Amino acid sequence: MRMEPAGRVVRSTSIPHSETNRGTPIRTFLHTADGVAIDSVYDPPAFVYDASASPSRGPVFVVAHGFTGDADRPHVRRVAEAFTQYGAVVTFSFRGHGASGGRSTVGDREVLDLAAAVEWARSLGHARVVTVGFSMGGSVVLRHAALYREERDDRNEHEGRTGAQTDVVVSVSAPARWYYRGTAPMRKLHWLVTRPAGRLVGRYGLRTRIHHREWDPVPLSPVEAVPRIAPTPLLIVHGDRDGYFPLDHPRMLADAAPGHAELWVEHGMGHAENAAPDELLRRIGDWAVSQES
């Protein structure tokens, strides 16, 4: 995928961090580089310890939800609330999900959605961005980090981060490879994505509009992306009771970046946002802010 400028804001319901509007949440639609409107939400940090400083001085967590999620789902709001204890939070609905436009490509063009959200977060004054993705979103944050880092290196390896690049990456419950059908939930997901009847169920039952076209070309896989992320800090998190992707997936991801990626296998945890306990979210927040040096 050729990387393009991430996008632009097309509508905003609030203005960030003026003297009379300090710390106010913002809801807006962003336009991606390929012209899709992405419903996005900015939540300021819960605490600003220096009263003289703008909330934008701290880090921002950009959260990429899983397939069939959206920015308003309770489990996504719970994740956002947890991370506001560590910084500001941007949540958004991937294309084809919730109020966003377009149709889901199940992890391919969604990289452009994340890029637009990261660029927006930086436009609000945040110099440090942490991308956190769950399941499909976990694969997207890996590919985004690799592709946009390579874009910078192609231009000038001594330049700093551009608006669409991340500083810290956390991937939770992500697949390592495409087309995996080794579990019953993944066989059902493939039916949902590949069959006309399945796409109807997705549209009307799950509020997810799925594109009918197959990938062409097949995008860079998560395991191929991981070696290209270094030296950006990377955390891979996976539950040992994940019903979608067994433990060979996170181990493949970690093995693809020996000595660089950190792997947490969580005892008793299932799949993605719904299964992530509050204690794990706090540990992820602690780890992410510890990478600021």
Side-chain angles (χ1 to χ4, degrees):
M1 179 187 294
R2 178 179 174 270
M3 294 296 96
E4 303 173 68
R8 59 186 175 87
V9 177
V10 296
R11 179 173 65 81
S12 178
T13 58
S14 180
I15 301 172
H17 306 317
S18 68
E19 288 303 314
T20 59
N21 189 37
R22 188 179 184 85
T24 303
I26 310 163
R27 188 151 200 158
T28 193
F29 280 88
L30 311 174
H31 263 171
T32 65
D34 61 344
V36 178
I38 300 298
D39 185 24
S40 304
V41 181
Y42 174 88
D43 288 297
F47 302 102
V48 180
Y49 295 102
D50 182 353
S52 66
S54 166
S56 66
R57 293 283 300 273
V60 58
F61 290 74
V62 180
V63 177
H65 63 75
F67 186 59
T68 74
D70 64 58
D72 292 320
R73 298 280 191 185
H75 54 276
V76 176
R77 300 318 313 156
R78 180 176 66 88
V79 170
E81 182 178 359
F83 289 149
T84 60
Q85 305 303 310
Y86 299 89
V89 179
V90 168
T91 50
F92 64 96
S93 299
F94 278 121
R95 61 185 61 205
H97 292 72
S100 291
R103 296 182 184 182
S104 174
T105 63
V106 200
D108 180 15
R109 303 298 288 181
E110 282 75 9
V111 168
L112 300 177
D113 307 347
L114 178 58
V118 169
E119 189 168 84
W120 181 48
R122 290 199 189 277
S123 77
L124 299 178
H126 293 280
R128 191 157 187 85
V129 174
V130 179
T131 50
V132 185
F134 296 84
S135 190
M136 180 187 77
S139 72
V140 172
V141 299
L142 295 174
R143 293 182 55 244
H144 166 267
L147 293 170
Y148 280 84
R149 174 172 174 75
E150 288 181 348
E151 180 195 42
R152 182 196 70 184
D153 291 347
D154 287 345
R155 289 199 315 273
N156 185 337
E157 65 179 0
H158 301 296
E159 291 181 13
R161 301 290 187 193
T162 67
Q165 290 172 335
T166 188
D167 300 283
V168 180
V169 184
V170 181
S171 179
V172 184
S173 303
R177 55 194 186 273
W178 302 136
Y179 302 112
Y180 177 72
R181 293 179 171 86
T183 58
M186 285 304 298
R187 289 190 287 275
K188 291 178 182 177
L189 187 145
H190 278 274
W191 174 83
L192 192 75
V193 170
T194 62
R195 301 297 180 87
R199 291 192 291 272
L200 282 174
V201 171
R203 185 181 187 94
Y204 295 107
L206 300 172
R207 294 176 56 198
T208 303
R209 303 170 307 282
I210 305 165
H211 209 294
H212 66 281
R213 292 180 185 149
E214 295 184 4
W215 287 336
D216 185 19
V218 175
L220 182 77
S221 72
V223 75
E224 292 170 325
V226 165
R228 310 182 189 191
I229 294 173
T232 302
L234 170 61
L235 174 62
I236 298 164
V237 182
H238 211 91
D240 65 0
R241 294 188 181 179
D242 191 309
Y244 287 77
F245 305 114
L247 289 177
D248 63 311
H249 284 261
R251 288 169 179 158
M252 283 178 64
L253 294 173
D255 288 347
H260 169 59
E262 189 167 336
L263 172 62
W264 295 356
V265 175
E266 298 297 306
H267 178 68
M269 177 181 159
H271 185 69
E273 303 101 316
N274 279 320
D278 292 343
E279 181 272 336
L280 172 60
L281 298 176
R282 288 193 293 270
R283 280 194 285 123
I284 290 173
D286 288 333
W287 181 89
V289 297
S290 75
Q291 307 304 308
E292 292 191 22
S293 58

